[in-house]
Amino acid sequence: MIRAEQLVKRFGAVPALDGVSFAVAPGEILGFLGPNGAGKSTALRILSGWLPPTRGRAAIAGHDLVTASLRARASVGYLPENFAAPTEMRVGEYLRYRAELKGMPPPAARARAAAAAQEFGLGERWRQPFGTLSKGFRQRVGLADALLADPPALLLDEPFSGLDPIQRQEFKQILRDLARRGKAILFSSHVLPEVQDLVSRVLILHQGRAAAAGTLAELQQRLRASAPLRVLPAAPADAEALRALASAHGFALLREDPDGAVLLNAGPVANRPALLRALAARGVEILEFHTLQPDLEQIFLLLLQGRAA
Amino acid sequence: MRPFLAQFKRELRGFFLSPYVFVLLGFWYLLNGFFFAYLLRSPAIQNDLTLLPPYLFGNGLLVWLLLPAFPPLLALRLLAEEQRLGTLETLLTAPVRDAAVVLAKYLAACVFFLLFWAGVLALFVLLAAHGAILDWGRVLCGFAGAALVSFLFLATGLWASSWSGNLVLAAGGGAALNYLLLFVPALLLEAPGTLGALARGAHLPDFLDRAFAAGLLDSYAIAFHLVLAGLFLFLTWLRLAARRMLA
């Protein structure tokens, strides 16, 4: 439904995107993650038809964004990062205008705008000027706008920014419902814990390139070998011996937790049994010895640290 | 057609909801009202009311002093304001052609600008209501000519409005272009050869003074204005389309 092939975008000599490819199927939510300046917004702007790619191809529902831009734009709803509407326009008036702009005849536009306002909890704000809305309600107007024409694909740039926790949960539920209705959803975010329970797959961008892609489980599996090791001695007094033995076996101390656990770097995986044996030989009783299951934020950091290294 | 109409309605409504537009309109009416009252005191005008349309719609000082500046002040909200607010991205990623956006914005501004001239036209209605005998052909042709020049100045204003989100640049750039269109041919009227001929063929005050306000619908003048306005509209479209096309 949403397809990008070897997308390259340069601003002058600066590459914002450098050969990124991905696809989003109907009913799928792809999380586009990356630090600021990674190229997330640029990719979304290309897919929305706002910017052309320098090289590569982007298509929505089979329509190329460059050669069939109008049809591609008719197949996608786009919520830009800083969604804005004319400040003097009332919510209902704006949604009606946008529905007509997307080709609906006025009576249908009126009905669709009212339905969208109801769906996104904007019924009571119908007559309120956009300029007086809170950030959360502005985002709702943006999402309602993106969905007015019931497009099969949705592009959302940082949809959670500025939302309070309750609004975030509501927003996530809306996105889940939309995915269940078969929409292909691509959204960018750097609020990683917020997207962990939402996405079907993630694509991590770094310096305009795809650093990793896959489901959360796939990424966890891939990074298990480089994930930190948590070791909890039975007696706090053994922490010193633990640190010394870990160091002798090639593990570096990352931090000590308040419960007495020691967090070691991944170190040489082959040395882990030897470390365990050495600890036993020294009489250090161990309550926990395991690799930390990296969450999305840790995966993100591990990948970026790995890239930087 | 629907997206065009939706955008046209939205722009027209936007003008009616913008307080600063009404400040402009009020200022325009006030100055024209003073000028009208001043002219009526002139014995020459009192003797021959047919001199009035050329002053109010043609070669009057206010026309040439104010007219180049007012349309860009109106046009700045069409694209520069959209860029400043960040609403242009939402507009141009909707399934609507760039040309339809440009035309809808331009035509809405043209329709709204007729209100500026309608106020001046109302002064003639007021005169007629007080028993003055007017040559309505001259009055209405003068109105049409003034509207035509305004439409040209709105086109340059719209192009200047597309340059960036800087409102001062949009208004200043548009006004500067209009003053250039007005005064460069005037400075070259006496130039020898082709240059002088070109300047005489592009001298806007002549169109108003000798044609429209004299009661003539000059097809050359109409074509000149429309072609030049079309050129600036094309440049505006190019500015929007280039963003989508230039990789």
Side-chain angles (χ1 to χ4, degrees), chain B residues 10-29:
Chain B
R10 179 256 175 280
E11 297 298 344
L12 202 55
R13 194 175 159 78
F15 282 125
F16 281 103
L17 291 176
S18 298
Y20 93 91
V21 169
F22 283 93
V23 172
L24 285 181
L25 195 60
F27 188 55
W28 173 270
Y29 284 168

Side-chain angles (χ1 to χ4, degrees), chain A:
Chain A
M1 185 59 68
I2 302 172
R3 180 169 289 280
E5 291 168 13
Q6 292 298 312
L7 278 189
V8 174
K9 181 67 187 174
R10 291 179 189 279
F11 294 107
V14 182
L17 278 180
D18 197 1
V20 175
S21 300
F22 58 85
V24 189
E28 191 178 24
I29 304 180
L30 177 65
F32 224 30
L33 311 179
N36 287 335
K40 306 186 297 290
S41 293
T42 303
L44 288 174
R45 283 177 153 187
I46 290 172
L47 287 162
S48 71
W50 174 247
L51 286 178
T54 306
R55 276 206 311 275
R57 183 174 179 268
I60 305 284
H63 305 299
D64 188 280
L65 259 305
V66 175
T67 57
S69 175
L70 209 59
R71 264 181 273 171
R73 281 182 278 148
S75 307
V76 70
Y78 173 48
L79 176 67
E81 181 175 2
N82 296 308
F83 171 76
T87 49
E88 80 281 0
M89 282 187 100
R90 296 172 194 279
V91 170
E93 184 191 354
Y94 176 74
L95 291 176
R96 274 204 313 267
Y97 148 67
R98 292 290 296 180
E100 286 183 39
L101 194 70
K102 292 174 184 185
M104 291 178 217
R110 204 170 303 124
R112 183 69 195 108
Q118 216 56 48
E119 186 177 356
F120 292 102
L122 292 163
E124 289 180 12
R125 313 277 164 171
W126 183 257
R127 299 187 62 79
Q128 194 170 332
F130 182 82
T132 64
L133 293 176
S134 67
K135 170 80 179 174
F137 278 107
R138 286 178 185 211
Q139 289 289 87
R140 284 174 194 233
V141 173
L143 193 59
D145 173 12
L147 284 161
L148 274 173
D150 197 24
L154 269 181
L155 306 170
L156 312 170
D157 197 355
E158 300 282 356
F160 301 111
S161 79
L163 299 185
D164 65 35
I166 294 172
Q167 289 170 330
R168 278 183 202 166
Q169 287 308 319
E170 289 174 354
F171 221 78
K172 281 159 76 172
Q173 194 50 50
I174 289 171
L175 294 185
R176 284 190 200 100
D177 291 344
L178 289 170
R180 265 195 288 276
R181 280 157 49 186
K183 308 282 182 203
I185 301 174
L186 171 60
F187 77 94
S188 76
S189 180
H190 58 252
V191 189
L192 302 182
E194 288 295 341
V195 303
Q196 188 158 301
D197 58 341
L198 179 63
V199 292
S200 321
R201 285 187 301 126
V202 294
L203 174 69
I204 298 179
L205 279 182
H206 183 51
Q207 294 177 341
R209 292 182 180 189
T215 63
L216 193 58
E218 284 168 353
L219 292 178
Q220 281 170 335
Q221 185 62 37
R222 196 183 308 168
L223 291 166
R224 195 175 294 277
S226 51
L229 200 59
R230 182 180 145 92
V231 186
L232 177 63
D238 288 337
E240 185 58 44
L242 168 57
R243 280 197 297 271
L245 284 170
S247 176
H249 285 79
F251 296 89
L253 178 72
L254 294 177
R255 66 161 196 260
E256 287 184 45
D257 288 341
D259 62 354
V262 168
L263 205 65
L264 303 173
N265 75 344
V269 177
N271 284 2
R272 289 179 186 182
L275 173 61
L276 262 180
R277 281 196 300 274
L279 287 167
R282 184 71 71 86
V284 177
E285 284 185 32
I286 297 297
L287 296 179
E288 284 182 32
F289 188 97
H290 61 92
T291 302
L292 277 186
Q293 184 82 320
D295 61 15
L296 195 49
E297 190 151 1
Q298 286 158 343
I299 290 172
F300 185 73
L301 291 172
L302 283 168
L303 278 167
L304 297 195
Q305 281 161 4
R307 289 235 148 198

